[in-house]
Protein backbone atom coordinates (compact mmCIF):
# COMPACT_ATOMS: atom_id res chain seq x y z
CA UNK A 1 0.00 0.00 0.00
CA UNK A 2 1.04 3.56 -0.71
CA UNK A 3 -0.44 6.57 0.96
CA UNK A 4 -1.88 9.37 -1.14
CA UNK A 5 0.89 11.71 -0.04
CA UNK A 6 3.57 9.26 -1.22
CA UNK A 7 2.46 8.64 -4.79
CA UNK A 8 5.48 8.46 -7.06
CA UNK A 9 5.34 10.80 -10.06
CA UNK A 10 7.33 10.72 -13.29
CA UNK A 11 5.83 13.32 -15.62
CA UNK A 12 7.10 12.19 -19.00
CA UNK A 13 4.54 14.06 -21.09
CA UNK A 14 5.13 17.33 -19.24
CA UNK A 15 8.84 17.00 -20.05
CA UNK A 16 8.03 17.13 -23.77
CA UNK A 17 7.53 20.83 -23.12
CA UNK A 18 5.36 23.68 -24.28
CA UNK A 19 4.94 22.49 -27.87
CA UNK A 20 2.70 19.71 -26.56
CA UNK A 21 0.98 21.17 -23.52
CA UNK A 22 0.61 24.31 -21.43
CA UNK A 23 1.14 24.75 -17.74
CA UNK A 24 -2.16 25.53 -15.98
CA UNK A 25 -3.11 25.72 -12.32
CA UNK A 26 -6.44 24.03 -11.39
CA UNK A 27 -9.26 26.33 -10.24
CA UNK A 28 -10.62 24.62 -7.13
CA UNK A 29 -14.25 23.83 -6.38
CA UNK A 30 -15.70 25.68 -3.41
CA UNK A 31 -16.80 23.59 -0.41
CA UNK A 32 -16.02 20.32 -2.15
CA UNK A 33 -17.56 17.02 -1.12
CA UNK A 34 -16.70 13.52 -2.24
CA UNK A 35 -19.53 11.96 -4.26
CA UNK A 36 -18.13 8.51 -5.02
CA UNK A 37 -14.80 6.75 -5.33
CA UNK A 38 -13.68 3.51 -6.94
CA UNK A 39 -11.73 1.09 -4.77
CA UNK A 40 -10.76 -0.80 -7.94
CA UNK A 41 -9.21 2.29 -9.48
CA UNK A 42 -7.55 3.18 -6.18
CA UNK A 43 -5.98 -0.28 -6.14
CA UNK A 44 -4.28 0.51 -9.45
CA UNK A 45 -2.37 3.22 -7.55
CA UNK A 46 -1.81 0.90 -4.54
CA UNK A 47 -4.07 3.11 -2.44
CA UNK A 48 -6.02 1.83 0.57
CA UNK A 49 -9.75 2.39 -0.16
CA UNK A 50 -10.12 3.86 3.35
CA UNK A 51 -8.07 6.85 2.19
CA UNK A 52 -11.05 8.04 0.16
CA UNK A 53 -12.62 9.11 3.45
CA UNK A 54 -9.73 11.42 4.32
CA UNK A 55 -10.01 15.18 3.95
CA UNK A 56 -6.89 15.34 1.83
CA UNK A 57 -8.45 12.98 -0.74
CA UNK A 58 -11.32 15.39 -1.41
CA UNK A 59 -8.92 18.35 -1.39
CA UNK A 60 -6.57 16.78 -3.93
CA UNK A 61 -9.36 15.80 -6.29
CA UNK A 62 -11.22 19.09 -6.18
CA UNK A 63 -8.18 21.20 -7.09
CA UNK A 64 -7.76 22.66 -3.60
CA UNK A 65 -4.40 21.02 -2.97
CA UNK A 66 -1.81 19.64 -5.28
CA UNK A 67 1.18 17.35 -4.84
CA UNK A 68 4.48 19.19 -5.10
CA UNK A 69 5.59 16.56 -7.68
CA UNK A 70 2.54 17.06 -9.90
CA UNK A 71 2.89 19.30 -12.97
CA UNK A 72 -0.62 20.16 -14.20
CA UNK A 73 -0.72 20.68 -17.96
CA UNK A 74 -3.40 21.12 -20.60
CA UNK A 75 -2.61 19.10 -23.74
CA UNK A 76 -3.05 20.49 -27.24
CA UNK A 77 -4.80 18.44 -29.92
CA UNK A 78 -7.25 18.88 -32.77
CA UNK A 79 -9.56 16.44 -34.50
CA UNK A 80 -12.46 15.66 -36.77
CA UNK A 81 -15.79 16.45 -35.12
CA UNK A 82 -18.85 15.02 -36.88
CA UNK A 83 -16.75 14.58 -39.98
CA UNK A 84 -15.35 18.13 -40.15
CA UNK A 85 -11.83 19.08 -39.17
CA UNK A 86 -11.56 21.40 -36.16
CA UNK A 87 -8.02 22.77 -36.12
CA UNK A 88 -7.88 23.83 -32.50
CA UNK A 89 -9.17 21.71 -29.65
CA UNK A 90 -7.11 20.62 -26.66
CA UNK A 91 -7.87 20.14 -22.97
CA UNK A 92 -10.41 22.91 -22.48
CA UNK A 93 -11.44 21.87 -19.00
CA UNK A 94 -9.26 18.98 -17.96
CA UNK A 95 -5.67 18.86 -16.78
CA UNK A 96 -3.09 16.13 -16.83
CA UNK A 97 -1.91 16.43 -13.21
CA UNK A 98 0.96 14.04 -13.72
CA UNK A 99 1.96 10.43 -14.29
CA UNK A 100 2.05 8.08 -11.33
CA UNK A 101 4.11 4.87 -11.29
CA UNK A 102 2.58 2.07 -9.23
CA UNK A 103 4.34 -0.77 -7.42
CA UNK A 104 4.34 -2.97 -10.53
CA UNK A 105 5.95 -0.22 -12.61
CA UNK A 106 2.78 0.73 -14.50
CA UNK A 107 2.25 4.38 -15.41
CA UNK A 108 -1.14 5.96 -14.76
CA UNK A 109 -2.04 9.44 -15.95
CA UNK A 110 -4.05 11.38 -13.39
CA UNK A 111 -6.36 13.72 -15.31
CA UNK A 112 -8.63 16.10 -13.43
CA UNK A 113 -11.68 16.95 -15.56
CA UNK A 114 -13.60 20.13 -14.75
CA UNK A 115 -10.52 21.91 -13.35
CA UNK A 116 -11.18 25.35 -14.85
CA UNK A 117 -10.26 27.24 -17.98
CA UNK A 118 -7.13 26.63 -20.03
CA UNK A 119 -5.63 28.15 -23.21
CA UNK A 120 -7.89 25.67 -25.11
CA UNK A 121 -11.20 26.52 -23.44
CA UNK A 122 -12.42 28.63 -26.40
CA UNK A 123 -15.91 29.82 -25.36
CA UNK A 124 -16.24 27.23 -22.57
CA UNK A 125 -16.11 27.81 -18.84
CA UNK A 126 -13.63 25.01 -18.13
CA UNK A 127 -16.09 23.33 -15.84
CA UNK A 128 -17.84 19.97 -15.72
CA UNK A 129 -21.25 19.45 -14.13
CA UNK A 130 -22.17 16.84 -11.54
CA UNK A 131 -24.48 15.01 -13.98
CA UNK A 132 -21.84 14.37 -16.64
CA UNK A 133 -19.13 13.60 -14.07
CA UNK A 134 -21.31 10.91 -12.48
CA UNK A 135 -22.15 9.53 -15.92
CA UNK A 136 -18.48 9.25 -16.86
CA UNK A 137 -17.57 7.71 -13.50
CA UNK A 138 -20.26 5.03 -13.69
CA UNK A 139 -19.59 4.21 -17.33
CA UNK A 140 -15.84 3.87 -16.87
CA UNK A 141 -16.16 1.44 -14.01
CA UNK A 142 -19.12 -0.45 -15.57
CA UNK A 143 -17.33 -0.99 -18.89
CA UNK A 144 -14.26 -2.22 -17.06
CA UNK A 145 -16.37 -4.80 -15.21
CA UNK A 146 -17.85 -5.97 -18.53
CA UNK A 147 -14.36 -6.52 -19.90
CA UNK A 148 -14.50 -3.57 -22.32
CA UNK A 149 -11.24 -1.58 -22.52
CA UNK A 150 -11.77 1.88 -21.03
CA UNK A 151 -10.26 4.80 -19.21
CA UNK A 152 -10.86 4.51 -15.46
CA UNK A 153 -12.41 6.82 -12.91
CA UNK A 154 -10.98 7.29 -9.42
CA UNK A 155 -13.60 9.61 -7.95
CA UNK A 156 -16.05 12.46 -8.39
CA UNK A 157 -16.16 15.57 -6.19
CA UNK A 158 -18.79 18.28 -6.25
CA UNK A 159 -18.73 21.92 -5.12
CA UNK A 160 -21.09 24.83 -4.58
CA UNK A 161 -20.01 26.51 -7.80
CA UNK A 162 -22.96 27.25 -10.08
CA UNK A 163 -22.37 26.11 -13.65
CA UNK A 164 -24.73 27.16 -16.43
CA UNK A 165 -25.84 24.67 -19.06
CA UNK A 166 -29.48 24.35 -20.23
CA UNK A 167 -30.16 25.12 -16.57
CA UNK A 168 -28.03 25.97 -13.57
CA UNK A 169 -26.14 22.92 -12.31
CA UNK A 170 -23.40 22.19 -9.79
CA UNK A 171 -19.75 22.15 -10.75
CA UNK A 172 -17.95 18.86 -10.20
CA UNK A 173 -14.65 17.20 -11.00
CA UNK A 174 -13.83 13.70 -12.17
CA UNK A 175 -10.42 12.14 -11.68
CA UNK A 176 -9.81 10.09 -14.82
CA UNK A 177 -7.01 7.56 -15.10
CA UNK A 178 -5.50 5.98 -18.19
CA UNK A 179 -2.03 4.76 -19.10
CA UNK A 180 -2.01 7.59 -21.66
CA UNK A 181 -4.24 10.51 -22.64
CA UNK A 182 -2.89 10.70 -26.18
CA UNK A 183 -5.70 10.78 -28.75
CA UNK A 184 -5.85 10.38 -32.54
CA UNK A 185 -6.34 14.15 -32.57
CA UNK A 186 -2.89 14.76 -31.08
CA UNK A 187 -1.30 13.38 -34.25
CA UNK A 188 -3.73 15.30 -36.46
CA UNK A 189 -2.82 18.58 -34.76
CA UNK A 190 0.89 18.31 -35.55
CA UNK A 191 0.25 16.90 -39.03
CA UNK A 192 -2.15 19.64 -40.15
CA UNK A 193 -0.05 22.43 -38.62
CA UNK A 194 2.88 20.95 -40.59
CA UNK A 195 5.03 20.58 -37.47
CA UNK A 196 6.56 17.35 -38.67
CA UNK A 197 9.48 17.41 -36.24
CA UNK A 198 7.08 17.68 -33.33
CA UNK A 199 4.94 14.98 -34.91
CA UNK A 200 8.00 12.72 -35.04
CA UNK A 201 8.69 13.50 -31.38
CA UNK A 202 5.10 12.61 -30.48
CA UNK A 203 5.32 9.36 -32.45
CA UNK A 204 8.57 8.42 -30.71
CA UNK A 205 7.09 9.26 -27.32
CA UNK A 206 4.02 7.13 -28.05
CA UNK A 207 6.20 4.25 -29.21
CA UNK A 208 8.25 4.36 -26.02
CA UNK A 209 5.41 4.91 -23.60
CA UNK A 210 2.53 2.93 -25.15
CA UNK A 211 3.91 0.50 -27.75
CA UNK A 212 7.44 -0.40 -26.67
CA UNK A 213 7.30 -3.77 -28.47
CA UNK A 214 6.76 -1.98 -31.81
CA UNK A 215 10.17 -0.34 -31.42
CA UNK A 216 11.74 -3.71 -32.27
CA UNK A 217 9.71 -4.11 -35.49
CA UNK A 218 11.24 -3.50 -38.94
CA UNK A 219 8.91 -0.55 -39.35
CA UNK A 220 8.08 0.69 -35.85
CA UNK A 221 5.51 3.33 -36.87
CA UNK A 222 3.64 0.95 -39.15
CA UNK A 223 3.69 -1.71 -36.46
CA UNK A 224 2.37 0.73 -33.89
CA UNK A 225 -0.40 1.76 -36.26
CA UNK A 226 -1.33 -1.90 -36.73
CA UNK A 227 -1.58 -2.37 -32.95
CA UNK A 228 -3.70 0.76 -32.53
CA UNK A 229 -5.96 -0.47 -35.32
CA UNK A 230 -6.40 -3.91 -33.77
CA UNK A 231 -7.10 -2.57 -30.32
CA UNK A 232 -9.60 -0.07 -31.68
CA UNK A 233 -11.35 -2.77 -33.69
CA UNK A 234 -11.50 -5.10 -30.66
CA UNK A 235 -12.91 -2.33 -28.48
CA UNK A 236 -15.65 -1.48 -30.98
CA UNK A 237 -16.53 -5.18 -31.44
CA UNK A 238 -17.11 -5.29 -27.69
CA UNK A 239 -19.28 -2.18 -27.84
CA UNK A 240 -21.40 -3.87 -30.51
CA UNK A 241 -21.61 -7.16 -28.63
CA UNK A 242 -22.65 -5.48 -25.37
CA UNK A 243 -24.94 -2.85 -26.85
CA UNK A 244 -22.87 0.22 -26.01
CA UNK A 245 -23.25 3.43 -28.04
CA UNK A 246 -20.39 5.88 -27.53
CA UNK A 247 -22.31 8.80 -29.00
CA UNK A 248 -19.45 11.15 -29.99
CA UNK A 249 -16.83 9.20 -31.91
CA UNK A 250 -14.90 12.30 -32.96
CA UNK A 251 -11.20 11.65 -33.55
CA UNK A 252 -10.31 13.79 -30.52
CA UNK A 253 -12.26 11.26 -28.43
CA UNK A 254 -10.37 8.25 -29.79
CA UNK A 255 -7.59 7.01 -27.55
CA UNK A 256 -4.29 5.88 -29.04
CA UNK A 257 -4.57 2.90 -26.65
CA UNK A 258 -7.86 1.69 -28.14
CA UNK A 259 -9.74 2.25 -24.89
CA UNK A 260 -13.20 3.77 -24.52
CA UNK A 261 -12.54 7.44 -23.92
CA UNK A 262 -14.32 10.75 -23.31
CA UNK A 263 -17.83 9.83 -22.33
CA UNK A 264 -20.59 12.19 -23.35
CA UNK A 265 -24.15 11.26 -24.21
CA UNK A 266 -23.35 7.53 -24.36
CA UNK A 267 -26.00 4.86 -23.83
CA UNK A 268 -26.37 1.15 -23.47
CA UNK A 269 -29.26 -0.06 -25.60
CA UNK A 270 -32.45 -0.97 -23.76
CA UNK A 271 -34.69 -2.53 -26.41
CA UNK A 272 -32.67 -3.65 -29.41
CA UNK A 273 -32.58 -0.98 -32.08
CA UNK A 274 -29.74 -1.34 -34.58
CA UNK A 275 -29.97 2.29 -35.68
CA UNK A 276 -30.25 3.79 -32.21
CA UNK A 277 -28.86 7.34 -31.96
CA UNK A 278 -28.05 8.14 -28.35
CA UNK A 279 -26.78 11.68 -28.86
CA UNK A 280 -29.67 14.11 -29.06
CA UNK A 281 -27.46 16.53 -31.03
CA UNK A 282 -26.48 13.93 -33.68
CA UNK A 283 -29.19 14.88 -36.17
CA UNK A 284 -27.84 12.84 -39.05
CA UNK A 285 -27.20 9.73 -36.98
CA UNK A 286 -23.52 9.74 -37.87
CA UNK A 287 -22.75 7.92 -34.62
CA UNK A 288 -25.76 5.59 -34.62
CA UNK A 289 -25.16 2.23 -32.92
CA UNK A 290 -24.82 0.20 -36.12
CA UNK A 291 -22.48 2.76 -37.72
CA UNK A 292 -19.83 2.52 -35.01
CA UNK A 293 -17.64 -0.07 -36.78
CA UNK A 294 -17.61 1.98 -40.02
CA UNK A 295 -16.88 5.16 -38.06
CA UNK A 296 -14.03 3.37 -36.34
CA UNK A 297 -12.66 2.67 -39.81
CA UNK A 298 -13.11 6.31 -40.81
CA UNK A 299 -11.31 7.49 -37.68
CA UNK A 300 -8.47 5.05 -38.23
CA UNK A 301 -8.12 6.53 -41.72
CA UNK A 302 -7.73 9.99 -40.14
CA UNK A 303 -4.96 8.66 -37.94
CA UNK A 304 -3.35 6.99 -40.97
CA UNK A 305 -3.36 10.33 -42.81
CA UNK A 306 -1.48 11.95 -39.94
CA UNK A 307 1.17 9.21 -40.12
CA UNK A 308 1.82 9.55 -43.87
CA UNK A 309 5.08 11.48 -43.27
CA UNK A 310 6.50 8.23 -41.83
CA UNK A 311 4.70 5.33 -43.51
CA UNK A 312 3.97 4.56 -47.18
CA UNK A 313 0.37 5.30 -48.09
CA UNK A 314 -0.07 1.85 -49.66
CA UNK A 315 0.99 0.16 -46.45
CA UNK A 316 -1.49 2.20 -44.43
CA UNK A 317 -4.22 1.42 -46.95
CA UNK A 318 -3.45 -2.28 -46.67
CA UNK A 319 -3.89 -2.07 -42.89
CA UNK A 320 -7.14 -0.15 -43.24
CA UNK A 321 -8.49 -2.85 -45.54
CA UNK A 322 -8.32 -5.27 -42.61
CA UNK A 323 -10.63 -3.25 -40.35
CA UNK A 324 -14.04 -4.55 -41.36
CA UNK A 325 -13.03 -8.23 -41.71
CA UNK A 326 -11.24 -8.08 -38.33
CA UNK A 327 -14.29 -6.42 -36.80
CA UNK A 328 -16.68 -9.03 -38.15
CA UNK A 329 -14.50 -11.89 -36.94
CA UNK A 330 -14.13 -10.46 -33.44
CA UNK A 331 -17.80 -9.50 -33.15
CA UNK A 332 -18.88 -13.01 -34.20
CA UNK A 333 -16.44 -14.56 -31.74
CA UNK A 334 -17.99 -12.54 -28.90
CA UNK A 335 -21.56 -13.29 -29.97
CA UNK A 336 -20.88 -17.01 -30.38
CA UNK A 337 -19.63 -17.03 -26.80
CA UNK A 338 -22.74 -15.17 -25.62
CA UNK A 339 -25.00 -17.65 -27.42
CA UNK A 340 -23.01 -20.75 -26.50
CA UNK A 341 -22.15 -21.67 -30.07
CA UNK A 342 -18.94 -23.70 -30.16
CA UNK A 343 -16.61 -23.46 -33.11
CA UNK A 344 -17.55 -21.61 -36.29
CA UNK A 345 -20.21 -22.66 -38.75
CA UNK A 346 -21.12 -21.12 -42.10
CA UNK A 347 -24.69 -20.19 -41.13
CA UNK A 348 -23.74 -18.40 -37.90
CA UNK A 349 -24.00 -14.84 -39.16
CA UNK A 350 -27.39 -15.44 -40.66
CA UNK A 351 -28.67 -17.21 -37.52
CA UNK A 352 -27.51 -14.28 -35.38
CA UNK A 353 -29.06 -11.76 -37.77
CA UNK A 354 -32.39 -13.57 -37.53
CA UNK A 355 -32.30 -13.26 -33.74
CA UNK A 356 -31.43 -9.56 -33.88
CA UNK A 357 -34.14 -8.90 -36.44
CA UNK A 358 -36.72 -10.52 -34.15
CA UNK A 359 -35.48 -8.43 -31.23
CA UNK A 360 -35.79 -5.34 -33.39
CA UNK A 361 -39.32 -6.30 -34.52
CA UNK A 362 -40.48 -7.09 -30.97
CA UNK A 363 -38.52 -4.24 -29.31
CA UNK A 364 -37.07 -6.92 -27.02
CA UNK A 365 -34.71 -5.81 -24.32
CA UNK A 366 -31.23 -6.64 -25.66
CA UNK A 367 -29.57 -7.59 -22.39
CA UNK A 368 -32.48 -9.41 -20.78
CA UNK A 369 -33.13 -11.46 -23.90
CA UNK A 370 -29.53 -12.62 -24.18
CA UNK A 371 -29.29 -13.37 -20.46
CA UNK A 372 -32.53 -15.37 -20.55
CA UNK A 373 -31.29 -17.30 -23.57
CA UNK A 374 -28.27 -18.26 -21.48
CA UNK A 375 -30.32 -19.15 -18.40
CA UNK A 376 -33.57 -20.59 -19.70
CA UNK A 377 -34.72 -20.61 -23.32
CA UNK A 378 -38.40 -20.96 -22.48
CA UNK A 379 -38.57 -17.64 -20.59
CA UNK A 380 -36.67 -15.91 -23.38
CA UNK A 381 -39.68 -16.72 -25.55
CA UNK A 382 -41.72 -14.12 -23.60
CA UNK A 383 -39.54 -11.37 -25.05
CA UNK A 384 -40.95 -11.90 -28.55
CA UNK A 385 -44.27 -11.06 -30.13
CA UNK A 386 -44.11 -13.51 -33.02
CA UNK A 387 -43.65 -16.74 -31.05
CA UNK A 388 -43.82 -19.05 -34.07
CA UNK A 389 -40.86 -17.34 -35.72
CA UNK A 390 -38.98 -17.40 -32.45
CA UNK A 391 -39.68 -21.12 -31.91
CA UNK A 392 -38.34 -21.93 -35.34
CA UNK A 393 -35.21 -19.91 -34.59
CA UNK A 394 -34.85 -21.50 -31.14
CA UNK A 395 -34.81 -25.00 -32.61
CA UNK A 396 -31.87 -24.10 -34.80
CA UNK A 397 -30.16 -22.27 -31.92
CA UNK A 398 -30.50 -25.29 -29.64
CA UNK A 399 -29.12 -27.57 -32.33
CA UNK A 400 -26.23 -25.12 -32.73
CA UNK A 401 -25.39 -24.91 -29.02
CA UNK A 402 -22.44 -26.67 -27.49
CA UNK A 403 -23.39 -29.95 -25.88
CA UNK A 404 -20.79 -29.84 -23.13
CA UNK A 405 -21.93 -28.85 -19.59
CA UNK A 406 -19.14 -26.29 -19.20
CA UNK A 407 -20.72 -24.21 -21.95
CA UNK A 408 -23.64 -23.04 -19.79
CA UNK A 409 -21.37 -21.79 -17.01
CA UNK A 410 -19.32 -20.00 -19.68
CA UNK A 411 -22.41 -18.27 -21.04
CA UNK A 412 -23.41 -16.97 -17.62
CA UNK A 413 -20.06 -15.25 -17.29
CA UNK A 414 -20.44 -13.33 -20.54
CA UNK A 415 -24.12 -12.35 -20.44
CA UNK A 416 -24.58 -9.57 -17.89
CA UNK A 417 -27.55 -9.26 -15.53
CA UNK A 418 -26.82 -5.61 -14.66
CA UNK A 419 -26.28 -2.89 -17.21
CA UNK A 420 -25.77 0.85 -16.74
CA UNK A 421 -29.07 1.86 -18.28
CA UNK A 422 -29.62 5.57 -18.79
CA UNK A 423 -32.57 5.61 -16.44
CA UNK A 424 -30.54 4.01 -13.62
CA UNK A 425 -27.85 6.64 -14.08
CA UNK A 426 -30.55 9.32 -14.17
CA UNK A 427 -32.10 8.16 -10.87
CA UNK A 428 -28.70 8.27 -9.21
CA UNK A 429 -27.99 11.73 -10.64
CA UNK A 430 -31.34 13.11 -9.47
CA UNK A 431 -30.62 11.96 -5.91
CA UNK A 432 -27.04 13.27 -6.06
CA UNK A 433 -28.24 16.69 -7.18
CA UNK A 434 -30.20 16.73 -3.89
CA UNK A 435 -26.98 15.84 -2.05
CA UNK A 436 -27.82 12.15 -1.58
CA UNK A 437 -24.89 10.21 -3.03
CA UNK A 438 -25.99 6.79 -1.79
CA UNK A 439 -27.67 5.81 -5.05
CA UNK A 440 -24.56 6.59 -7.13
CA UNK A 441 -22.50 4.52 -4.72
CA UNK A 442 -24.96 1.63 -4.71
CA UNK A 443 -25.25 1.55 -8.50
CA UNK A 444 -21.47 1.61 -8.80
CA UNK A 445 -21.20 -1.38 -6.45
CA UNK A 446 -23.84 -3.38 -8.34
CA UNK A 447 -22.14 -2.73 -11.66
CA UNK A 448 -18.81 -4.00 -10.34
CA UNK A 449 -20.25 -7.52 -10.64
CA UNK A 450 -22.51 -7.41 -13.66
CA UNK A 451 -22.57 -11.14 -14.33
CA UNK A 452 -23.80 -12.32 -10.92
CA UNK A 453 -27.42 -12.12 -9.78
CA UNK A 454 -27.34 -10.16 -6.51
CA UNK A 455 -30.11 -10.95 -3.99
CA UNK A 456 -32.33 -7.97 -3.18
CA UNK A 457 -31.18 -6.08 -6.26
CA UNK A 458 -33.68 -7.53 -8.73
CA UNK A 459 -35.04 -4.09 -9.56
CA UNK A 460 -31.69 -3.09 -11.06
CA UNK A 461 -31.95 -5.96 -13.56
CA UNK A 462 -35.39 -4.92 -14.79
CA UNK A 463 -36.13 -3.21 -18.10
CA UNK A 464 -36.66 0.56 -17.89
CA UNK A 465 -39.99 1.96 -16.72
CA UNK A 466 -41.91 3.97 -19.31
CA UNK A 467 -40.40 7.29 -18.24
CA UNK A 468 -36.92 5.83 -18.56
CA UNK A 469 -37.15 4.61 -22.15
CA UNK A 470 -35.35 6.56 -24.85
CA UNK A 471 -34.17 9.32 -22.54
CA UNK A 472 -32.71 12.12 -24.59
CA UNK A 473 -29.17 12.87 -23.54
CA UNK A 474 -27.76 16.18 -24.66
CA UNK A 475 -24.17 16.83 -25.54
CA UNK A 476 -23.80 19.48 -22.84
CA UNK A 477 -21.61 18.42 -20.01
P1 LIG B 1 -15.96 16.97 -25.63
O1 LIG B 1 -17.23 17.15 -26.40
O2 LIG B 1 -16.16 16.89 -24.14
O3 LIG B 1 -15.14 15.85 -26.14
O4 LIG B 1 -15.13 18.31 -25.84
C1 LIG B 1 -14.72 18.81 -27.09
C2 LIG B 1 -13.79 19.98 -26.89
O5 LIG B 1 -14.45 21.03 -26.18
C3 LIG B 1 -12.54 19.65 -26.06
O6 LIG B 1 -11.49 20.44 -26.55
C4 LIG B 1 -12.96 20.07 -24.67
O7 LIG B 1 -11.87 20.34 -23.84
C5 LIG B 1 -13.78 21.31 -24.96
N1 LIG B 1 -14.79 21.57 -23.92
C6 LIG B 1 -15.91 20.87 -23.67
N2 LIG B 1 -16.59 21.43 -22.65
C7 LIG B 1 -15.89 22.50 -22.24
C8 LIG B 1 -16.08 23.49 -21.23
N3 LIG B 1 -17.12 23.48 -20.42
N4 LIG B 1 -15.13 24.45 -21.11
C9 LIG B 1 -14.07 24.47 -21.93
N5 LIG B 1 -13.85 23.60 -22.89
C10 LIG B 1 -14.74 22.60 -23.06
MG1 LIG C 1 -13.46 15.14 -25.96
Amino acid sequence: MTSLADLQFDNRFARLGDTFSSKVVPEPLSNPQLVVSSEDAMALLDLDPAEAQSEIFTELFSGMKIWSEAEPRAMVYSGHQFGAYNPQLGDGRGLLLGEVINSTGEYWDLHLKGAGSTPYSRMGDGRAVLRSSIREFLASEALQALGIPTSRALCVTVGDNPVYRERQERGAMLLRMAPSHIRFGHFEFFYYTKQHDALRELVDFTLQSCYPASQQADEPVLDMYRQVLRRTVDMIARWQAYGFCHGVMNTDNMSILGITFDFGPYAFLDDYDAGHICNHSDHEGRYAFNRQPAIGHWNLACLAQALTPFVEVDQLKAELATVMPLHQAEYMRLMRARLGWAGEQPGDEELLQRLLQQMQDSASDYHITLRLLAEDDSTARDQFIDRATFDAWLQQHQARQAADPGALAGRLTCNPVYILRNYLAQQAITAAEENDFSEVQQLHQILRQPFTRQPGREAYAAPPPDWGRRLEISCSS
Side-chain angles (χ1 to χ4, degrees), residues 77 89-93 121-122 124-127 165 253 262:
Y77 52 81
L89 292 164
D91 289 334
R93 51 145 166 200
S121 296
R122 296 173 293 157
D125 57 9
R127 289 298 185 191
R165 298 292 182 259
N253 293 340
D262 252 18

Side-chain angles (χ1 to χ4, degrees), residues 132-144:
S132 65
S133 305
I134 289 174
R135 281 175 52 83
E136 175 156 352
F137 178 91
L138 290 172
S140 310
E141 297 306 286
L143 287 173
Q144 171 68 26

Side-chain angles (χ1 to χ4, degrees), residues 171-444:
M173 291 189 193
L174 171 100
L175 195 288
R176 176 165 67 195
M177 291 169 42
S180 169
H181 273 67
I182 296 176
R183 308 150 187 256
F184 288 12
H186 275 88
F187 298 89
E188 294 181 277
F189 177 78
F190 293 102
Y191 173 76
Y192 286 107
T193 54
K194 300 194 168 56
Q195 301 182 68
H196 289 188
D197 291 344
L199 182 60
R200 181 75 231 186
E201 216 183 324
L202 179 69
V203 165
D204 288 341
F205 179 81
T206 310
L207 274 163
Q208 282 158 25
S209 54
C210 302
Y211 293 97
S214 295
Q215 290 177 297
Q216 315 312 323
D218 288 344
E219 294 205 48
V221 186
L222 174 64
D223 193 71
M224 176 174 82
Y225 180 73
R226 189 178 294 137
Q227 307 309 322
V228 176
L229 181 148
R230 289 189 185 159
R231 288 193 195 183
T232 304
V233 167
D234 283 0
M235 168 188 74
I236 295 175
R238 281 173 194 266
W239 292 355
Q240 301 311 112
Y242 286 92
F244 178 77
C245 315
H246 181 282
V248 198
M249 288 176 71
N250 294 336
T251 57
D252 53 305
N253 293 340
M254 298 294 291
S255 159
I256 201 67
L257 293 171
I259 60 178
T260 316
F261 200 70
D262 252 18
F263 298 87
Y266 68 81
F268 281 91
L269 298 179
D270 291 309
D271 52 275
Y272 182 76
D273 174 17
H276 182 63
I277 302 163
C278 65
N279 181 355
H280 181 52
S281 319
D282 182 5
H283 306 294
E284 321 239 293
R286 179 179 172 87
Y287 299 138
F289 177 65
N290 56 5
R291 296 197 64 192
Q292 295 188 129
I295 291 291
H297 180 268
W298 196 92
N299 289 344
L300 283 160
C302 291
L303 178 62
Q305 181 70 45
L307 296 178
T308 50
F310 315 117
V311 187
E312 291 293 331
V313 171
D314 287 344
Q315 290 179 303
L316 291 164
K317 279 190 177 162
E319 293 303 323
L320 276 167
T322 68
V323 168
M324 292 318 268
L326 282 174
H327 167 76
Q328 192 57 18
E330 181 59 10
Y331 173 69
M332 284 308 297
R333 190 186 71 74
L334 293 163
M335 293 310 289
R336 282 190 191 95
R338 294 199 69 175
L339 290 160
W341 299 350
E344 287 178 31
Q345 286 185 15
D348 285 352
E349 293 185 16
E350 196 231 313
L351 193 58
L352 173 61
Q353 268 320 308
R354 277 169 50 206
L355 173 67
L356 295 176
Q357 187 60 51
Q358 290 177 77
M359 286 192 198
Q360 177 99 32
D361 295 343
S362 295
S364 317
D365 188 273
Y366 182 65
H367 314 283
I368 292 176
T369 304
L370 285 170
R371 177 73 188 193
L372 289 178
L373 278 171
E375 283 179 349
D376 177 1
D377 295 335
S378 57
T379 53
R381 193 169 184 266
D382 298 339
Q383 303 295 316
F384 297 91
I385 295 166
D386 178 354
R387 304 282 162 92
T389 305
F390 177 72
D391 289 343
W393 179 86
L394 187 63
Q395 267 198 339
Q396 271 184 278
H397 165 64
Q398 285 170 339
R400 182 65 188 79
Q401 274 180 322
D404 71 287
L408 173 64
R411 272 186 287 149
L412 294 181
T413 60
C414 64
N415 286 294
V417 179
Y418 303 104
I419 282 291
L420 177 58
R421 297 177 187 273
N422 265 341
Y423 91 93
L424 291 172
Q426 192 52 49
Q427 277 175 345
I429 289 164
T430 305
E433 286 177 339
E434 298 299 322
N435 240 22
D436 173 2
F437 307 135
S438 60
E439 193 54 38
V440 179
Q441 293 164 5
Q442 157 119 322
L443 187 53
H444 167 226

Side-chain angles (χ1 to χ4, degrees), residues 456-468:
R457 286 162 167 185
E458 291 75 15
Y460 290 87
D466 282 344
W467 69 263

